[in-house]
């Protein structure tokens, strides 16, 4: 999966309006046990932007995993 700051990757991809492209990669991170808030923040952005059942994602995701700043 690599060892680099995910929030920087998300920022660069988001600037190009291509955030949805990395959703499978983000989901793989979650499946592998990632607790990185940047992963969950990116997934929340994708679900909210695409209106893909964001309420369920936010309810199912522990708030401590999100960086709500």
């Amino acid at each position: 999966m690599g060892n680099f700051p995910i929030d920087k990757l998300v920022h660069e991809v988001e600037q190009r309006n291509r955030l949805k492209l990395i959703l499978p990669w983000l989901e793989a991170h979650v499946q592998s046990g990632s607790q990185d808030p940047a992963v969950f923040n990116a997934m929340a952005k994708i679900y909210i932007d695409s209106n893909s059942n964001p309420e369920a994602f936010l309810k199912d995701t522990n708030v401590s995993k999100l960086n709500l700043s």
Side-chain angles (χ1 to χ4, degrees), residues 40-52:
F40 292 95
N41 288 343
M43 290 178 66
K45 287 179 182 182
I46 293 169
Y47 290 131
I48 291 167
D49 287 347
S50 66
N51 199 22
S52 180

Side-chain angles (χ1 to χ4, degrees), residues 3 6 12 14-15 18 25 33 43 48-50 66:
N3 193 11
I6 294 172
E12 291 298 324
E14 189 174 22
Q15 281 186 322
R18 300 287 188 240
W25 183 81
M43 290 178 66
I48 291 167
D49 287 347
S50 66
L66 296 173

Side-chain angles (χ1 to χ4, degrees), residues 15-59:
Q15 281 186 322
R16 292 164 178 78
N17 294 322
R18 300 287 188 240
L19 192 56
K20 287 169 57 172
L21 290 176
I22 63 170
L23 181 59
W25 183 81
L26 293 166
E27 290 172 337
H29 258 51
V30 171
Q31 291 297 322
S32 69
S34 174
Q35 297 294 312
D36 188 341
V39 171
F40 292 95
N41 288 343
M43 290 178 66
K45 287 179 182 182
I46 293 169
Y47 290 131
I48 291 167
D49 287 347
S50 66
N51 199 22
S52 180
N53 205 8
E55 295 89 3
F57 174 77
L58 293 172
K59 287 178 184 175

